[in-house]
Amino acid sequence: MAVNRGKIPATMPSEFTAKGLLWTSLLAASPLLKAEAPPANYLSEQPAQTQHAMVVSIHHLAADAGVEILRQGGNAVDAAVATGFALAVVHPAAGNIGGGGFMLIRLHNGKSTFIDYREKAPLAATANMYLDAKGNVIPDASTIGYKAIGVPGSVAGMAYAEKKYGRLDLKRVMQPALRLARDGFVLSTEEAAELHEQDLARFPESRRIFQRDGNYYQPGEFMRQPELARTLERIADNPDSFYHGDLARDVARAVRSGGGILTERDLATYEVKEREPVTGTYKGYTVISAPPPSSGGVALIEALNILEGYNLSRLGDRAPAEMHLIVEAYRRAYMDRADYLGDPDFASLPVDQLIDKKYATAWRTGIEVDQATPSSTLRRPAGFLPPPPKEEKTPDHVNTTHYSVVDAEGNAASVTTTLNNSFGSAATAEGLGFLLNDEMDDFAAKQGVPNLYGLIQGPANAIAPGKRPLSSMTPTIVLKDGKLSMVLGSPGGGRIITTVANIFLSVAEEGLNIQQAVDAPRFHHQYLPDVLDLEPGFSAATTAGLQALGYSLDTTEQSWSDGECIFVNPHTGFLEGGQDHRHTYGKAAGY
Ligand code: DON
């Protein structure tokens, strides 16, 4: 998703508000806001349908790139890698080679796996690197510029996935991206407006490439990226050169010359991790999702476990009584997220306990059906979990994109990839043509101080050299009666988890089709701040009902997230695309 650079809650400490206010005013002035509101008539939406294979993405050219590769005999992973590289060209706000991501794969033979190419903290990173001498968070230090950059994992991850699970080869699947970078592509109104991002203007190379030094791209103009095309060629010839060799040297030099701490050694020691996905069940569905270092799958399954004990569909789609129960489940899952989750390679995490159905049952007994639980009084049921990790005393002490792929054999890939903020750190690697991430902000810069997404995080997510920051990215694959049913995911920072849960529940409980489920107005609660966020589209009666239950509502934001999902219709066998209509340039493509 492109413009919605994270919400700054009212309770955000002053050190964060300068940028928050800036964004708020930028957003208010943005012509994109109209394109971003959820469709008012979502219930009349019908999904795009294809018979064999489908790619759904925020960018039509990236979806087409995947389909082109499928038609050449590629499988879902070949298509996912082709779409990923194409997004790095046509969707620079989030598509990337300078960031990281997660690819969840389920093969038609029933095997599932999770490829973690999340960024890592550079080896010179320290727990307090974003704090000033008084121990306060330095504004923007973890979000803008070279110091915010984590070691990029996207190139390694996509090359790994291609080699191990693809049918074609990297050079071939990168052709659409190379073509788009070299020959250019036409910008839509919404895309041209996105390139006005003010942070890009702070870095000469970003301003030159994306803003033509102030002579901004107009809608309908071609955007060509020759430096990026050259970099993509070098990757296609030898992806490992990004980590060992000439490209690694160039990347490290570019970051160091901007004042960052990333070195060639950081790149040389970067490792892709293949992990086992987390799996849960919900009323006949099997939910396969992202394990740590994402909090997404654990929080999603924990919330669904709590909700499984209710008959939600009887309460009515998006009725206050139904929303209340869902929000109470979110509140509890996000509390656990804050206290327990981080990089599993740095501490053992109580994942099994968190997604245990008995634990969910205990949580459920504390939910009042007629009253919101204030987050300040929330107490976790005793006897299920170890005490949360304690803060270690030290001496002084928003853009992502998701796409979904299903091929003709029924293999599925669910991919969320990110630079973190829109356009990441806003810094472009000099001479290489690509933007670098600001993923370091996903760590807790200071215990108890909210990050860009207002998320409070604990010691499990403190900065350490070589550590992966905790993510909320939730690429998810759902089975029904053992068969592929849904491929789900979204950007949205801390709101990704509730976005995916809202879409899943809208299909599973309310019988909405996937397009309606993606377009339906969203609601979000993340434990702290104790506020229920509502997109436009809820009736006055609903908001009054929620207030009567005790909720503080925030209805000031136009919209958030960007679901790009696929549903397999069990009756027709056709693939149905849920392409988020909050944006104007996406596509559910296929054949
Ligand atoms: O990994 C995460 O959770 C964040 N870096 C995702 C950022 C995001 O979704 C921003 N997009 N709106």
Side-chain angles (χ1 to χ4, degrees), residues 491-545:
R495 299 170 184 206
I496 293 173
I497 303 163
T498 58
T499 298
V500 172
N502 284 347
I503 294 171
F504 170 75
L505 290 167
S506 296
V507 174
E509 288 283 354
E510 306 304 340
L512 300 195
N513 70 46
I514 194 72
Q515 187 62 56
Q516 294 165 339
V518 162
D519 285 342
R522 298 184 172 129
F523 53 98
H524 170 78
H525 195 292
Q526 59 182 41
Y527 166 57
L528 292 174
D530 193 351
V531 171
L532 173 55
D533 298 311
L534 300 181
E535 279 191 331
F538 290 96
S539 68
T542 302
T543 53

Side-chain angles (χ1 to χ4, degrees), residues 4 118 398-400 418 420 439 442 453 471-473 491-493 496:
N4 197 344
R118 181 77 167 155
V398 198
N399 198 317
T400 303
T418 187
N420 192 25
E439 220 67 57
D442 275 346
Y453 307 106
S471 174
S472 300
M473 294 190 287
I496 293 173

Side-chain angles (χ1 to χ4, degrees), residues 160-367:
Y160 178 99
E162 178 57 40
K163 193 160 177 190
K164 186 153 179 195
Y165 294 103
R167 193 176 291 152
L168 307 178
D169 61 58
L170 190 67
K171 209 169 198 154
R172 179 130 166 222
V173 302
M174 286 183 68
Q175 288 314 305
L178 260 162
R179 207 175 52 227
L180 289 163
R182 197 181 47 226
D183 302 345
F185 65 100
V186 176
L187 290 167
S188 66
T189 306
E190 189 184 356
E191 291 168 271
E194 282 171 11
L195 293 174
H196 285 241
E197 167 60 50
Q198 294 204 355
D199 288 339
L200 289 172
R202 294 165 63 159
F203 300 92
E205 188 76 341
S206 304
R207 183 171 139 84
R208 178 177 73 75
I209 292 178
F210 299 105
Q211 301 182 331
R212 283 194 312 209
D213 286 324
N215 172 27
Y216 291 106
Y217 281 101
Q218 299 301 311
E221 271 197 281
F222 259 85
M223 180 174 178
R224 294 185 182 81
Q225 299 174 77
E227 290 94 346
L228 179 58
R230 178 71 202 118
T231 301
L232 291 173
E233 262 165 28
R234 291 167 75 183
I235 293 170
D237 284 340
N238 176 15
D240 194 46
S241 68
F242 196 96
Y243 296 91
H244 307 91
D246 56 322
L247 202 39
R249 223 173 17 251
D250 293 350
V251 172
R253 192 185 302 130
V255 176
R256 297 287 283 198
S257 67
I261 58 172
L262 186 116
T263 63
E264 276 181 69
R265 192 157 158 253
D266 285 312
L267 290 160
T269 52
Y270 183 81
E271 268 184 314
V272 173
K273 292 275 171 122
E274 190 165 350
R275 302 184 192 273
E276 199 182 318
V278 283
T279 302
T281 55
Y282 183 86
K283 302 186 184 178
Y285 291 93
T286 303
V287 178
I288 306 167
S289 193
S294 181
S295 58
V298 174
L300 173 68
I301 292 170
E302 183 179 342
L304 292 178
N305 283 344
I306 296 172
L307 291 170
E308 199 174 32
Y310 301 114
N311 189 345
L312 293 180
S313 58
R314 254 192 42 206
L315 301 172
D317 180 24
R318 287 167 173 72
E322 187 200 46
M323 290 171 70
H324 163 57
L325 296 176
I326 296 173
V327 167
E328 291 304 323
Y330 291 167
R331 188 196 304 275
R332 285 155 177 81
Y334 273 79
M335 179 188 191
D336 286 338
R337 176 200 190 279
D339 282 344
Y340 286 103
L341 296 179
D343 184 346
D345 297 337
F346 276 67
S348 93
L349 308 174
V351 169
D352 291 344
Q353 293 96 313
L354 288 166
I355 60 173
D356 183 344
K357 299 260 188 206
K358 289 196 216 75
Y359 178 52
T361 304
W363 261 137
R364 198 163 48 236
T365 55
I367 296 177

